[in-house]
Amino acid sequence: MVVRDNMEMIFWIFVILSVYSYLLFPLCLSVLSVIIRRPWEKGDFKPYVSIIISVFNEEGIIAQKIQNNLELDYPLEKLEILIISDGSTDRTEEIVRGFNDERIVFKTYRERSGKTACLNRAVPEAKGEIILFTDANSMFPADILLKLVGHFADKSIGLVTGWTRYGDVGEDEDAPGVYSRFEKWTKIKESQVSSCVGADGAVFAVRKELFHTLREDDINDFVIPLTVIMQGKRVVLDPDIYCFEKPANEASKEYQRQVRITNRTLNAIRRNLEFLNPIRYGWFAYFLVSHKVMRFLVPFFLIAVFVLNIMLFSRSHLYSLTLGFQLFALAAAMIGIFGLRSGKLTCIAKFFLVTLLAQLTAWGRTFAGISETMWTPQR
C-alpha cells in the first residue's frame, strides 16, 4: 500500500513538472507582472542603425529581403544594411551585388565559419549605434525601425527584441505561430518585471557598445541578451515589433532546426551557470530556470509520466483516462507527421512531439560533447 501511494505521488509530481513551464510558470508571471512592474520610457530617438543579415546560400529569398529592408520608413542617411555571406556557393553574392544603393554594404567570407563568427567580424565594422540582427527569410513591416529605436531613449534598455509571425497575413495560424505567440506573451511579462529570457533571432536590436565577442558555437540570440544583462542593462520585448516568416512545413526540417537550437542553448546555459544565481540576477534567474531549463526537461518528465501511468493503469479509472489522453495525443501527432489528416489539433500535436524528440536528441548530443556551429537554412 505504501509503495502504491508513493508511486501515485511520484506520478502526480511528474505531471506537475511536465506542465510547469507551459502552465504554472505563466500563471506565476501573470501575478508577478501585476505586483512588480518596472516600466521604461520610450522617446523620440533616431540613432544610426545597422541591419546585419548573415546569409548562406539564400539565392531564393535574398532579393526580396534586401528590397524589403530598402523600403523601411527611416532616414536614409541613418541606415546601413550590412549583408555577410558565410561562404555561399550559390547565386546569393551575385544577386546582392546587383543592387545599387549606398545603404547596402556587402562582405563575403570564402571559408565557412558559422553565423556567430560572421557576427563577430561584422559588428565591429558596422557604423550603427544600434545593431539590428535579422534573417534572410524574415520580412519587416515598414515602420519597424521607428517603433524599435524609441526604446533606446531609455538608458536602462540594452536590447530590444520582437517576435515572429508565421505565415502570410490573413492565413490561419499554424502550430509554430501559436507557440510564437505564447513565447511573445511570456517575454512581455518577463520584461515587465525584469528582463526577458533570450531574443527572437529574426528580429532583435542591441546597443553596439554592449556587444561582446562571442564563442563561435554560441547561439547569438540567447548569449547576446545574457551579456547585456551582465552589463546591468535590461532586455525587453515590444509586442508591436515583429517580422513575417514562412514556417518549415516538413517535420524533418523543424526537427533539425529544434535540435540545433536546443543543443546550442543547452551548451550556452552550461557555460553561463552564474545567471541561475538569484542573489546576483534576481527575478531573471527564476525566469531562466522556468522558461528554459524546466522546458528542456519536459521530455524526461513526460517519459516518467507515461511509464508510471502504465504501472498505475489498472488501479483506477482515473489512470485509464490519463493514459488514454496520452495515447490520443501521441496518435494525433503521428497522424500529423505522416500527413494522414490536417487540422489544428494534429498540427499542434505534431509540433509538440517533434519538439520533444528534438530536445531529447539535443540532450544526447550535448552529453556527448557535440556543439553545433554551422547552420543551413531549413527552407
Side-chain angles (χ1 to χ4, degrees):
M1 185 68 177
V2 174
V3 173
R4 172 179 173 175
D5 290 343
N6 287 341
M7 189 180 298
E8 291 187 14
M9 180 181 68
I10 294 171
F11 171 80
W12 289 111
I13 288 174
F14 276 114
V15 169
I16 292 171
L17 291 174
S18 298
V19 302
Y20 172 76
S21 62
Y22 292 102
L23 180 60
L24 301 182
F25 174 53
L27 290 175
C28 292
L29 274 178
S30 296
V31 175
L32 282 174
S33 63
V34 173
I35 299 175
I36 306 170
R37 184 178 286 268
R38 293 176 59 200
W40 63 92
E41 298 295 329
K42 187 175 180 181
D44 184 13
F45 184 54
K46 291 187 177 63
Y48 198 111
V49 176
S50 292
I51 300 176
I52 296 184
I53 312 166
S54 299
V55 299
F56 171 71
N57 288 356
E58 297 282 10
E59 63 179 10
I61 198 70
I62 191 61
Q64 182 183 351
K65 174 65 174 179
I66 294 173
Q67 191 60 45
N68 171 259
N69 283 195
L70 290 175
E71 294 173 357
L72 296 178
D73 183 12
Y74 202 72
L76 300 182
E77 70 279 5
K78 291 187 175 182
L79 179 61
E80 173 186 49
I81 302 171
L82 185 53
I83 303 168
I84 305 104
S85 173
D86 184 28
S88 294
T89 56
D90 63 356
R91 295 183 57 251
T92 297
E93 297 182 11
E94 176 188 343
I95 294 171
V96 175
R97 295 184 193 281
F99 282 84
N100 183 22
D101 192 294
E102 61 182 12
R103 289 171 290 176
I104 298 175
V105 177
F106 181 54
K107 296 182 182 296
T108 180
Y109 306 125
R110 294 302 176 191
E111 184 177 345
R112 285 206 75 192
S113 55
K115 183 176 183 178
T116 302
C118 288
L119 299 184
N120 285 336
R121 296 180 183 180
V123 173
E125 299 177 6
K127 299 177 183 177
E129 178 183 347
I130 303 299
I131 308 295
L132 172 59
F133 299 100
T134 184
D135 295 329
N137 64 322
S138 305
M139 303 301 160
F140 292 151
D143 62 352
I144 187 171
L145 292 180
L146 294 176
K147 290 181 177 179
L148 188 152
V149 295
H151 292 282
F152 290 101
D154 189 322
K155 297 299 183 181
S156 71
I157 303 300
L159 185 149
V160 178
T161 186
W163 59 289
T164 299
R165 296 180 61 171
Y166 287 95
D168 293 326
V169 179
E171 287 185 351
D172 289 337
E173 202 162 38
D174 53 15
V178 172
Y179 182 78
S180 179
R181 287 183 178 273
F182 173 70
E183 275 287 280
K184 177 191 70 171
W185 182 91
T186 302
K187 291 181 178 181
I188 288 172
K189 297 301 181 181
E190 291 171 344
S191 301
Q192 291 171 350
V193 177
S194 175
S195 286
C196 63
V197 178
D200 187 316
V203 52
F204 75 99
V206 65
R207 296 183 191 272
K208 180 182 177 181
E209 65 191 46
L210 299 178
F211 180 86
H212 285 187
T213 300
L214 307 172
R215 289 171 54 110
E216 292 191 359
D217 58 347
D218 274 340
I219 179 167
N220 67 87
D221 54 6
F222 180 73
V223 176
I224 293 176
L226 291 183
T227 63
V228 168
I229 292 169
M230 181 177 63
Q231 296 173 79
K233 301 297 183 180
R234 293 177 66 185
V235 173
V236 298
L237 181 141
D238 181 345
D240 292 329
I241 297 171
Y242 56 87
C243 62
F244 292 99
E245 191 172 308
K246 287 188 175 295
N249 293 321
E250 296 180 27
S252 60
K253 291 183 178 180
E254 180 62 25
Y255 168 79
Q256 293 167 14
R257 188 180 76 89
Q258 292 279 4
V259 169
R260 177 176 59 83
I261 291 173
T262 305
N263 170 254
R264 299 184 76 185
T265 305
L266 286 172
N267 279 311
I269 293 173
R270 176 176 57 83
R271 291 193 293 263
N272 293 277
L273 293 177
E274 63 184 280
F275 289 93
L276 301 178
N277 181 357
I279 296 176
R280 182 171 180 182
Y281 290 103
W283 287 111
F284 179 78
Y286 167 64
F287 296 161
L288 181 56
V289 170
S290 301
H291 191 152
K292 290 295 184 184
V293 178
M294 292 293 288
R295 191 172 297 180
F296 287 150
L297 290 171
V298 167
F300 302 104
F301 297 151
L302 287 177
I303 290 172
V305 168
F306 187 74
V307 171
L308 289 167
N309 205 159
I310 292 175
M311 298 171 69
L312 294 167
F313 170 68
S314 62
R315 298 189 177 179
S316 77
H317 291 303
L318 174 62
Y319 295 111
S320 299
L321 288 173
T322 55
L323 183 60
F325 174 79
Q326 291 178 77
L327 293 174
F328 173 78
L330 181 60
M334 298 305 295
I335 289 171
I337 288 174
F338 289 106
L340 301 178
R341 185 174 180 180
S342 61
K344 183 160 287 189
L345 176 62
T346 56
C347 185
I348 292 175
K350 177 184 75 171
F351 178 79
F352 192 62
L353 179 59
V354 168
T355 298
L356 294 176
L357 293 174
Q359 289 175 344
L360 281 174
T361 303
W363 273 107
R365 294 176 68 82
T366 302
F367 282 126
I370 299 172
S371 184
E372 309 279 351
T373 300
M374 303 299 178
W375 96 106
T376 301
Q378 298 297 321
R379 40 188 173 272

